[in-house]
Amino acid sequence: MENENPDLTSPTPAPDATGSTPPSAANTTAEAPAAAETQSAAEAATGPANSFGPRTDFARLTAQTEAIKAEIGKIIVGQQDLLELLLTAILADGHVLLEGVPGVAKTLMAKLLARTLEVPFSRIQFTPDLMPSDVLGTSVFRQNKADFEFRPGPIFASVVLIDEINRAPAKTQSALFEVMEERTVTQDGTTYGMPEPFLVLATQNPVEQEGTYRLPEAQLDRFLFKLHVGYPSLAEEVQILQGHHAGFGGTNLEAVQPILSADDLASLRRQVRQQRVEANILEYIAKLVGQTRAHKSLYLGASPRASLALLNGAKALAALRGRDFVTPEDVQFLAPSVLRHRIMLTPEREMEGGTPDDVVKQIMQQIEVPR
Amino acid sequence: MVEKLKLKKAGPGGCLAWCLLVVGYLALAGAAQAAPAPKPVPPAAAAEFRPRPLPPDRITPLPTRRLDAERLRELASQRDFRYVEPSARTDAWEAFWARIWRWLGNLFDTPTGRVTWKYGVYAVALAVLVYAVLKLMQVDVTGAFGRAGRRGQLEYDTAGENIHEVDFRTRIAEAEAAGNFRLATRLGYLEVLKHLTDGGFIQWQPDKTNHAYLTELAAGPLRDAFRAATREFEYVWYGDLRLNAALYQQARASQRAVSSLLAGRPAPVSAAIPQSA
C-alpha cells in the first residue's frame, strides 16, 4: 500500500548514507538532542518561522529508528506497522502487550527489539505455578551475618520480556502492578527503584483457554499498547520460507546488533516530550476517551490513563514520522492500540460478535476531527 | 413336617408370636358368637322420647346494645352507606363510548370481522413478541428500512461549522485584514476541501483526517497540490507555526493551486495581501 502520509515527504534530515547508525556513532552524539532543543526554543522565541519545515532536528531519532528497523528486518519479514508501534511505545516510555496466535513471531520480535537496545534484558516465562517472589525477588537469610539479603528477581532489568503472561494466575499478575506503574518494587518494607529505561514487553495467546487466566483490568490498563500480531501476507510468507531455506533453518539472533543505549533513549524521550500539541488536539483526545465511558456497547470505559497514553503515544509517533507536532491522524492511528484493552464490551455486544476495535472505530466516526 | 421345620427355624420368639395369634383369633370368634342382637323399639316408646324445645333463658342477664345516634348519622352521611339506586340516565361521554363499543361489536360480528379479529389478535401478539425479542437482543433494525448506509453521517458532533454554508471569501478577507494569518490559512484549507467535495473528488465527512482525504484522490497533479496544501495547513493549524506575510502567501498559493486544478485553470500567482500582521 502506498504511504500517503504527507509528513513523509517533508524535508526531514536524512539518515546517514548507510541507512543505519553504528552504536559507537550513536553514542558519541549524545549532546545533539540538547542542542536541537535549544535551537527549537530559540526559534520559537524569535517569532515567525521562515519555512514549512520541522523546527526540531529529528535527524538522530530518524537515523536510529531506521537502524533498528534495519536490524530487526534482518530476521523478521514484514510487520512494519507493528515495528513502528513498538518503537512508538519505546519512545513514549510505555509497556506493550503483544497478542497473536502461536507462531507469528511475537516472542521473536520482542527478543529482537530488546537486542537492539543496549540495556540489561531478562526474560520470564509465566507459568501457572509462578509466585510473585519468582518475579520480584525474595529476601534470603544470611547465616554468617545473621540478617536478610534481598535477591532481586528477573524483573530488575531494563527490558523485561514476559512470555505468555496470561499463564500466571492473578496472584502473580498483581506482583507487576507496582513495578509497571510506579517503576519501583517494595519488598519487606524497602522500596527498590527500577533502572531507566524500564520496559515490559509481554506476549499472550488469545486462542488457548486451557491453563490461562484473564489479565486483571488494572494490569491491562498499565500497558500503553495492546498490539495484534497478525499473519504474514502470501509474499511475506514466501520470503520467510526463502530466508529459512537459504539459512538452512534456525535464526541467528547474533546478527542483530544493539543500536540504542540507555542514554540515547533518554535523550530521544526528552525530545519526544517536547513535541507540540495544540489545545484542539487535547480536546479531541479527551472526547475520544470520554466517549468510551458513555457508549452503549461498552460496559467499562477507558480511564484518564488512556488519555495520557494516547497523548504520549501520539507525540512519539509524530516524532517518528518527522513532525514536531501532533495531528489527528496520529491520534486516530493509535486509538485502537491504546483503547482496545482498556474497554469492556457489554455481554449483548459480545454475543453479537462485536469487537473492541469495532467500537473504537464507531467512536472515531462520531467525533469531528479538529480542523 | 415342613411346618415343624419352619417353627424350629423360627425359634422361641417365633413360637410365642404364633401362639398369641391363635389365642387372639379364638377370643374374637367367641365374642362374636356371645354378643346379643339389638331389639326393635316400639312406636309408642319412640313418641315418648321425642325432644321438646327448651324454655327461654330468663336468668342470664344480656346487655342491651344501644347505638350511638351521632355515629349513626355520621355513617349515614358517608357515600359508602347510601344504598340508593343510581340514576339510569347517562351523560354524553358515556353515550359516545357506548356507541363506539356497539359499532365495534357490529363490525366484528360479521364473518369477515370475526376472521379479522381472530387473526388480528395473533398478529398483534406476534408483533409484540418479535419487538420484545429484538429489544432484548438490542438489534438495530433501522438498517432494514434503508437508513443504515447513512449512519456515518448521522451521529456527528455538530460543533464545527458546515463548510457548505461558510462565506469563505468574506471571512478570509476579514482574517487577512485583521492579520490573523493562522485563521485565514485554516479557512482557505476548508475552502479547498469544499471545492474537492463539490467536484466529487473526496467524500466530506467531519470524522475523516486530512490523510484520509489524500488517499481518496487519485495519483496526479491534484493529489500533489493537495498534499502540499495539507502539509502547510497542518504546520500552521496543528504545529502552531507562526506565519509572516511571505509564508502566508506560500500557503495560500498552494491552496489556490488546488482550486485552479479543480477549475481546469493554471495555478494563479498569489494575490496581494496586507503585509502588516
Side-chain angles (χ1 to χ4, degrees):
Chain A
M1 179 183 157
E2 189 183 356
N3 195 330
E4 281 301 335
N5 190 339
D7 307 301
L8 294 180
T9 62
S10 63
T12 47
D16 59 10
T18 58
S20 65
T21 304
S24 56
N27 294 338
T28 52
T29 54
E31 293 79 19
E37 288 155 19
T38 313
Q39 182 188 354
S40 172
E43 280 176 2
T46 51
N50 296 320
S51 67
F52 293 100
R55 291 148 289 183
T56 308
D57 184 10
F58 288 118
R60 191 155 163 269
L61 186 146
T62 308
Q64 287 176 326
T65 53
E66 288 301 322
I68 289 174
K69 286 179 185 174
E71 288 296 318
I72 292 178
K74 290 177 182 173
I75 306 288
I76 289 188
V77 176
Q79 298 194 351
Q80 294 303 316
D81 282 352
L82 175 69
L83 188 52
E84 186 181 32
L85 286 165
L86 283 169
L87 290 171
T88 304
I90 290 175
L91 290 175
D93 196 9
H95 311 296
V96 180
L97 177 61
L98 293 165
E99 187 179 83
V101 295
V104 287
K106 300 185 295 292
T107 307
L108 183 61
M109 173 65 94
K111 277 165 66 179
L112 292 178
L113 191 65
R115 281 191 68 85
T116 60
L117 305 178
E118 207 173 10
V119 292
F121 168 76
S122 76
R123 174 189 167 138
I124 314 171
Q125 181 73 41
F126 267 32
T127 54
D129 60 346
L130 199 74
M131 300 296 285
S133 57
D134 297 332
V135 177
L136 302 178
T138 187
S139 295
V140 178
F141 185 70
R142 294 186 295 186
Q143 283 191 335
N144 56 344
K145 295 185 178 177
D147 63 354
F148 283 93
E149 182 193 26
F150 178 66
R151 295 275 175 86
I155 199 74
F156 283 86
S158 284
V159 178
V160 181
L161 168 59
I162 300 177
D163 206 19
E164 305 209 49
I165 191 170
N166 56 342
R167 290 207 179 269
K171 180 174 66 178
T172 311
Q173 302 287 352
S174 55
L176 297 170
F177 285 2
E178 181 191 354
V179 70
M180 285 181 70
E181 179 61 23
E182 298 170 38
R183 316 292 169 103
T184 56
V185 171
T186 304
Q187 191 85 355
D188 289 338
T190 308
T191 301
Y192 304 93
M194 301 302 292
E196 277 290 333
F198 176 66
L199 173 69
V200 173
L201 297 172
T203 69
Q204 73 171 6
N205 173 358
V207 178
E208 211 162 355
Q209 301 296 319
E210 185 67 30
T212 61
Y213 300 86
R214 197 174 183 279
L215 296 189
E217 278 72 31
Q219 189 183 0
L220 286 170
D221 201 30
R222 281 161 167 76
F223 284 104
L224 181 77
F225 296 152
K226 179 182 176 185
L227 305 179
H228 288 314
V229 186
Y231 290 113
S233 65
L234 180 66
E236 287 170 350
E237 193 142 0
V238 169
Q239 203 179 337
I240 291 168
L241 293 171
Q242 284 172 343
H244 192 79
H245 179 63
F248 302 105
T251 307
N252 182 19
L253 297 184
E254 301 301 320
V256 175
Q257 297 299 314
I259 302 294
L260 275 181
S261 68
D263 289 340
D264 292 336
L265 190 55
S267 65
L268 293 183
R269 284 178 174 176
R270 273 199 301 275
Q271 201 173 9
V272 164
R273 278 196 291 271
Q274 292 176 348
Q275 291 281 73
R276 292 172 174 82
V277 187
E278 275 295 292
N280 50 22
I281 300 286
L282 295 177
E283 192 182 342
Y284 182 57
I285 291 173
K287 277 183 182 175
L288 273 180
V289 176
Q291 189 66 23
T292 63
R293 299 165 199 157
H295 201 276
K296 65 176 183 180
S297 299
L298 294 179
Y299 170 70
L300 176 72
S303 65
R305 193 186 276 149
S307 305
L308 294 173
L310 202 47
L311 172 67
N312 292 334
K315 286 160 84 170
L317 184 66
L320 272 176
R321 291 179 171 181
R323 260 186 285 108
D324 56 1
F325 57 90
V326 173
T327 67
E329 181 71 35
D330 303 323
V331 178
Q332 284 199 0
F333 183 76
L334 293 180
S337 304
V338 170
L339 296 175
R340 64 166 65 106
H341 56 296
R342 294 181 155 100
I343 57 177
M344 279 177 69
L345 297 180
T346 57
E348 298 84 19
R349 184 74 174 158
E350 217 158 0
M351 284 169 65
E352 287 169 17
T355 63
D357 282 12
D358 294 338
V359 177
V360 172
K361 195 176 173 187
Q362 270 184 9
I363 288 173
M364 283 196 291
Q365 283 177 348
Q366 289 169 1
I367 297 175
E368 186 177 353
V369 164
R371 189 182 281 119
Chain B
M1 185 66 183
V2 175
E3 284 176 359
K4 275 184 182 176
L5 282 174
K6 278 184 181 173
L7 283 173
K8 270 187 179 177
K9 277 186 182 175
C15 289
L16 184 63
W18 274 104
C19 290
L20 285 174
L21 200 65
V22 170
V23 169
Y25 173 74
L26 292 174
L28 280 174
Q33 284 179 357
K39 290 180 180 175
V41 180
E48 194 178 341
F49 289 108
R50 190 174 296 161
R52 283 175 293 185
L54 289 171
D57 183 10
R58 298 182 187 283
I59 301 166
T60 308
L62 288 175
T64 308
R65 191 179 179 195
R66 297 182 185 282
L67 298 175
D68 185 10
E70 187 63 28
R71 177 70 179 151
L72 275 175
R73 271 198 298 278
E74 185 191 341
L75 289 173
S77 67
Q78 288 181 12
R79 184 187 177 89
D80 296 339
F81 297 101
R82 281 188 200 158
Y83 302 112
V84 180
E85 287 294 322
S87 170
R89 291 182 303 170
T90 52
D91 58 1
W93 181 244
E94 288 172 345
F96 167 74
W97 278 112
R99 180 169 290 189
I100 291 287
W101 287 117
R102 201 161 47 247
W103 176 74
L104 280 174
N106 293 336
L107 194 68
F108 289 116
D109 205 19
T110 60
T112 313
R114 275 195 290 274
V115 171
T116 308
W117 172 249
K118 184 179 175 185
Y119 293 106
V121 168
Y122 292 140
V124 169
L126 187 67
V128 168
L129 184 69
V130 168
Y131 176 77
V133 168
L134 291 177
K135 198 72 182 169
L136 283 173
M137 294 176 69
Q138 294 191 343
V139 177
D140 185 10
V141 292
T142 51
F145 302 103
R147 285 197 287 153
R150 301 197 304 273
R151 182 171 185 157
Q153 299 169 357
L154 292 175
E155 300 174 339
Y156 287 135
D157 181 2
T158 53
E161 64 265 72
N162 184 353
I163 62 167
H164 298 286
E165 294 173 356
V166 177
D167 182 3
F168 285 109
R169 186 167 296 188
T170 309
R171 287 196 59 190
I172 290 172
E174 286 171 2
E176 285 174 351
N180 192 346
F181 293 145
R182 186 169 185 259
L183 179 61
T185 306
R186 171 181 175 263
L187 290 166
Y189 187 73
L190 291 179
E191 188 180 22
V192 167
L193 288 178
K194 178 183 179 298
H195 291 160
L196 286 169
T197 309
D198 292 344
F201 292 94
I202 62 170
Q203 199 174 0
W204 165 258
Q205 275 184 207
D207 65 285
K208 283 187 184 173
T209 60
N210 302 331
H211 172 82
Y213 292 131
L214 198 58
T215 54
E216 287 181 29
L217 293 175
L222 183 62
R223 186 202 248 177
D224 295 338
F226 182 65
R227 181 186 286 123
T230 300
R231 181 168 163 270
E232 289 162 2
F233 161 72
E234 289 189 341
Y235 264 95
V236 174
W237 192 244
Y238 303 128
D240 197 22
L241 185 78
R242 278 182 273 178
L243 290 177
N244 55 26
L247 270 184
Y248 174 66
Q249 286 275 20
Q250 186 184 334
R252 283 295 288 153
S254 300
Q255 292 167 358
R256 288 197 189 95
V258 178
S259 301
S260 301
L261 283 168
L262 284 171
R265 301 191 303 268
V269 181
S270 328
I273 57 156
Q275 293 293 316
S276 60

